Amino acid sequence: MTTPPGFDELIHPPTRLSLMALLAATEWAEFSFLKESLELTDSALSKQVSTLADAGYAEVRKEGAGRRRRTLVTLTPQGRTAFDSHVEALRQLVSRATSASGRAGGE
């Protein structure tokens, strides 16, 4: 079975896919919200966000100063398109597998 168009190896690892899904559901998300939601350490989340930012899929904004400083993350238009394409590719894979298992069942 060939990989459908839009399948993105960069997005596919579970942690990054979960991060992309959270970001796709919001305009901007606070780093602390992402950290708690994904149950990651600061450094693990920072690494994932940096990977997405380096690929042009996410943008990071820092606001405030001192103890009131907060980090916000959003998907770029390119990131939203990549996520939507990846989700569609996953749907196609599931659909193909479901069709193939129905034919293999020999009912």
Side-chain angles (χ1 to χ4, degrees):
M1 182 181 306
T2 60
T3 303
F7 187 90
D8 192 320
E9 294 283 346
L10 183 83
I11 295 172
H12 195 67
T15 301
R16 246 179 264 142
L17 183 58
S18 297
L19 175 57
M20 292 287 286
L22 281 172
L23 293 172
T26 64
E27 192 169 331
W28 287 90
E30 285 194 46
F31 189 89
S32 59
F33 167 77
L34 296 170
K35 178 183 157 184
E36 290 172 21
S37 297
L38 298 171
E39 299 179 349
L40 294 173
T41 63
D42 285 348
S43 62
L45 178 56
S46 182
K47 180 179 177 183
Q48 298 304 323
V49 169
S50 292
T51 298
L52 294 175
D54 290 347
Y57 289 177
E59 179 184 338
V60 178
R61 179 187 299 164
K62 297 191 185 270
E63 295 181 344
R67 297 184 70 81
R68 293 184 183 251
R69 186 173 180 112
R70 49 185 218 158
T71 301
L72 302 169
V73 184
T74 191
L75 287 183
T76 63
Q78 178 185 350
R80 285 195 185 275
T81 299
F83 178 72
D84 291 344
S85 296
H86 187 71
V87 168
E88 182 55 34
L90 292 175
R91 285 188 181 117
Q92 289 176 27
L93 284 171
V94 169
S95 178
R96 285 186 206 167
T98 302
S99 296
S101 68
R103 289 191 306 267
E107 291 182 28

